[in-house]
Amino acid sequence: MTLVDLRSDTVTKPTAAMRRAMAGAEVGDDVYGEDPLVNALEERVAAMFGHEAGLFVPSGTMGNQIGMRLVCQPGQEVLGDAEAHVVTYEMGAAAAVFGLSTRTVVSDGGVLSADQLISQVRPFGNWHLTPTAAVAVENTHNRAGGLVQPLEELEKLFAWSRDAGVSVHLDGARIWNAAVASGVPLDTYGRLADTASVCLSKGLGAPVGSVLVAGADRIAEARLWRKRLGGGMRQVGVLAAAGLHALDHHVDRLADDHARAKQLAERLGVDPAGVHTNMVVLDGVAAPMLAAAAKGEGVLVSEVSATRVRLLTHLDVDDAGLDRAVEVLAPLL
Ligand SMILES: Cc1ncc(COP(=O)(O)O)c(C=O)c1O
């Protein structure tokens, strides 16, 4: 039975061409700063986002957590959306590892509202209040179904933050999807954040890796944090090669994933207007039963809650996979 895995875009396997690029990678010891492809990847991604420097990290979680630590000191707070990945799925790392406090706002469906966040920011210099050092934004927003954040709101928040002395961290795990869907250039998104973590291992199809981008001084400090966390890696150019290959070949094709997600929604009777990028959310379903029945037929879906299922399109879901998914899921719905 062919398996169609719609649980996440992280499940992709490296393509044959990506594996060839990895096999042929020239490598060096990256802890000495001597891995040529890691250096090339860091420089390239930093430039793509309009930042001075980049740091290759093993995961989006490490990129986010170090990124937030760079702009927030222990005992200060990061403000973000209640459904943000950084506060939902990162095991309380901000508090557990770095001593950062987090506070959240319940937004309208995950859509970033600059005014709402700004109204919740707490000032420095007050003896009673935990000061808000940074705001974390997520684009696309995972738990909001791959939502692309409105550019005007990002601009408003960033403009305000300059005068307020508050930093902005971008969780850009799927910023590539946001850019392809909205047409907003990557460097526009990048320049609206002080620190940004972008993932190579989601829609771009690399097996491992994220890049944290920021100013050069901040990235120098990030390098220390990565080492402290055990994230100093050695001949890791084999992974950077996968990332560079993904940047060359897998960014524009995200439009195909987005088109297939819309098609999937339409064919399952879900309003395609609710599909922003590569995610389809099925609400009001008996999620455990649906997931188990679909699995029995070789279609894997993600249970977000008892009544919500999430389907993601990605590099390893082609038209035949899409047809099979519809064939299995439509009768179950
Ligand atoms: C929005 C978002 N941020 C961060 C991450 C963390 O990435 P990683 O699994 O590489 O730690 C994910 C993972 O899916 C994500 O969806």
Side-chain angles (χ1 to χ4, degrees):
M1 185 165 52
T2 348
L3 201 69
V4 183
D5 195 343
L6 303 174
R7 287 173 302 166
S8 174
D9 49 8
T10 58
V11 301
T12 54
K13 307 219 166 82
T15 61
M18 184 180 277
R19 286 171 195 262
R20 280 196 295 278
M22 295 170 77
E26 191 191 332
V27 294
D29 189 329
D30 181 49
V31 174
Y32 288 87
E34 291 173 0
D35 189 292
L37 294 185
V38 171
N39 293 340
L41 177 70
E42 290 175 345
E43 277 169 33
R44 180 168 168 187
V45 176
M48 287 172 103
F49 288 92
H51 280 265
E52 284 174 353
L55 184 72
F56 186 55
V57 289
S59 68
T61 299
M62 194 185 282
N64 278 334
Q65 295 298 328
I66 294 179
M68 293 194 300
R69 177 61 184 82
L70 295 177
V71 290
C72 186
Q73 302 297 317
Q76 301 174 350
E77 77 179 14
V78 178
L79 183 67
D81 185 75
E83 297 291 339
H85 194 282
V86 294
V87 294
T88 308
Y89 292 126
E90 299 188 5
M91 304 296 139
V97 181
F98 288 130
L100 308 186
S101 191
T102 52
R103 198 155 52 88
T104 56
V105 299
V106 177
S107 61
D108 184 8
V111 182
L112 187 138
S113 156
D115 286 343
Q116 185 190 28
L117 287 162
I118 292 166
S119 73
Q120 291 302 316
V121 165
R122 289 174 173 157
F124 280 79
N126 180 305
W127 291 113
H128 302 288
L129 298 172
T130 306
T132 311
V135 176
V137 304
E138 185 172 318
N139 198 13
T140 65
H141 192 311
N142 181 343
R143 281 178 65 86
L147 180 103
V148 180
Q149 298 295 4
L151 182 61
E152 336 54 272
E153 294 299 310
L154 293 167
E155 282 170 339
K156 188 172 184 183
L157 179 69
F158 193 70
W160 167 85
S161 71
R162 299 307 88 184
D163 295 334
V166 171
S167 297
V168 175
H169 171 73
L170 166 66
D171 176 354
R174 294 185 181 78
I175 194 70
W176 325 94
N177 297 81
V180 167
S182 66
V184 174
L186 291 170
D187 70 328
T188 300
Y189 283 135
R191 287 180 213 279
L192 296 175
D194 296 283
T195 54
S197 171
V198 302
C199 292
L200 304 162
S201 59
K202 311 290 181 299
L204 296 197
V208 181
S210 297
V211 180
L212 175 64
V213 299
D217 290 351
R218 285 201 169 115
I219 291 299
E221 191 191 338
R223 207 168 279 281
L224 305 182
W225 283 115
R226 184 185 67 174
K227 190 69 164 63
R228 286 187 183 117
L229 294 173
M233 302 179 287
R234 302 292 177 172
Q235 286 72 22
V236 76
V238 286
L239 298 178
L244 288 163
H245 179 87
L247 293 178
D248 287 336
H249 301 284
H250 295 170
V251 178
D252 293 343
R253 65 151 304 287
L254 291 172
D256 300 343
D257 295 345
H258 299 173
R260 284 200 183 94
K262 276 221 189 299
Q263 217 193 99
L264 184 60
E266 270 161 17
R267 291 171 69 184
L268 293 177
V270 176
D271 184 1
V275 177
H276 312 282
T277 49
N278 65 335
M279 301 191 193
V280 179
V281 176
L282 305 178
D283 262 322
V285 295
M289 269 164 22
L290 179 69
K295 188 175 178 183
E297 306 239 25
V299 175
L300 305 183
V301 302
S302 177
E303 287 172 53
V304 180
S305 74
T307 56
R308 175 176 285 191
V309 158
R310 190 187 72 165
L311 315 171
L312 267 84
T313 52
H314 51 73
L315 195 55
D316 290 353
V317 180
D318 58 11
D319 287 335
L322 191 78
D323 288 344
R324 177 66 188 147
V326 173
E327 192 175 70
V328 168
L329 294 172
L332 294 173
L333 291 168

